[in-house]
Amino acid sequence: MRVFMERAVLFLHAFPLNSKMFCDQFKALEEGGIPYIAVDYPGFGNERNFPSEYTIETLTDIILGKIKDLGVKKVIPVGDSMGGYIRFDVWRRYSEIVDGLVFVSTRAEADTEEAKKGRYATIDRIKKEGKDFLIDFMLDAQTSPSTKKDSKKMEKLRCIMNEATEEGIIKALKALADRPDNTGVLPSINVLALVVAGMDDEKVTPPDIVKNIADGIKGSEFVVIPDSAHLPPFENPDDFNKALIEFIKKVWG
């Protein structure tokens, strides 16, 4: 199958979710006639497990291979959390296809040694106990107080997370632990950039951490979304969509 779109918004999801976390963005972009592509990582959503361990760079090559098969020439990558690390790698190695960049609840820094040890400890526990404890932890850590009060939204999040396989989670955790530091990449970014943080993200990527990205990119726009923590596109889609669509129009006219 081949579908031609000269340019498209590229949605890159957070861990341990899948592209369904952007369901409200799909609706908004469709209403606005804006083309988009959404992918799942191996072992998440509808994507089968990768046959071996992989790196962030491997994921980038898989995703861009699919984009090229569709005939897409230019993208605006929108990456939340783990999606942000892939988006950094897209810029580092394939900047010629990037029209603009949207950073959401992510960081430029690599894992500290303590953080790496934590990821591998989580892997060991998953192998012994399964993934349920991790999903419970992520549901608490990634959501704002207002999201927690919305039982339907929390249940939907749990369902999305539960679609991840344990094998997929483990391989993703290893890729996250081994990702490179991207702080040195920031000064090289010479396209329009939107940097988004969740106001209530206290446990994963607090606004001041996310702002380091905006501070490192000349001319970037920094937006803090209220009533959201680590997942602004899902938690507060109205405010997020407003910022996103305004940015897309700024890039593409």
Side-chain angles (χ1 to χ4, degrees):
M1 180 179 72
R2 185 177 178 87
V3 180
F4 176 74
M5 294 181 288
E6 185 172 352
R7 58 192 186 187
V9 176
L10 172 62
F11 288 105
L12 302 167
H13 65 81
F15 170 90
L17 291 91
N18 59 55
S19 59
K20 290 179 183 176
M21 69 165 286
F22 295 113
C23 59
D24 290 299
Q25 285 68 59
F26 301 161
K27 187 183 302 182
L29 266 58
E30 287 164 14
E31 290 174 354
I34 301 170
Y36 66 85
I37 301 168
V39 297
D40 293 335
Y41 313 145
F44 297 84
N46 294 320
E47 195 71 21
R48 67 181 62 185
N49 288 309
F50 199 67
S52 61
E53 293 184 0
Y54 58 79
T55 63
I56 293 296
E57 290 78 10
T58 308
L59 290 180
T60 300
D61 291 336
I62 291 171
I63 292 165
L64 291 192
K66 293 180 179 181
I67 289 172
K68 289 178 181 177
D69 286 344
L70 292 172
V72 175
K73 296 179 179 179
K74 292 284 188 176
V75 295
I76 297 177
V78 179
D80 191 319
S81 189
M82 181 176 178
Y85 309 142
I86 298 169
R87 190 212 33 251
F88 269 119
D89 189 51
V90 170
W91 175 259
R92 182 189 289 110
R93 297 192 291 134
Y94 301 100
S95 61
E96 68 278 2
I97 74 165
V98 176
D99 269 346
L101 293 165
V102 182
F103 301 81
V104 186
S105 300
T106 192
R107 67 179 71 215
E109 299 82 4
D111 269 2
T112 62
E113 286 305 313
E114 182 180 359
K116 287 183 181 181
K117 290 178 181 177
R119 293 197 195 274
Y120 279 94
T122 300
I123 289 171
D124 290 340
R125 188 174 171 187
I126 291 171
K127 290 177 179 178
K128 295 175 183 176
E129 303 177 22
K131 66 182 181 181
D132 289 351
F133 80 91
L134 176 66
I135 291 174
D136 288 339
F137 174 80
M138 287 296 189
L139 281 169
D140 178 66
Q142 293 187 339
T143 54
S144 67
S146 59
T147 302
K148 288 180 173 69
K149 293 176 183 177
D150 189 330
S151 59
K152 288 185 179 180
K153 191 168 282 189
M154 290 297 289
E155 184 57 33
K156 187 173 182 179
L157 261 186
R158 183 181 292 276
C159 289
I160 293 173
M161 291 184 182
N162 267 321
E163 291 180 1
T165 66
E166 290 175 7
E167 179 182 342
I169 289 172
I170 288 171
K171 289 177 178 177
L173 283 168
K174 290 179 180 178
L176 289 169
D178 295 335
R179 74 183 190 278
D181 186 281
N182 290 299
T183 53
V185 175
L186 297 175
S188 74
I189 296 175
N190 57 6
V191 296
L192 292 175
L194 172 65
V195 183
V196 179
M199 184 177 291
D200 300 317
D201 193 352
E202 299 176 352
K203 299 179 180 179
V204 189
T205 48
D208 60 330
I209 295 295
V210 182
K211 190 174 183 294
N212 288 338
I213 296 174
D215 290 343
I217 302 174
K218 186 177 180 179
S220 64
E221 179 183 0
F222 180 61
V223 176
V224 179
I225 303 293
D227 297 321
S228 65
H230 196 56
L231 308 170
F234 183 88
E235 296 182 84
N236 186 348
D238 290 343
D239 285 354
F240 181 83
N241 288 351
K242 181 181 178 182
L244 176 63
I245 291 174
E246 285 179 358
F247 177 76
I248 293 169
K249 289 179 178 178
K250 190 182 299 183
V251 175
W252 285 338

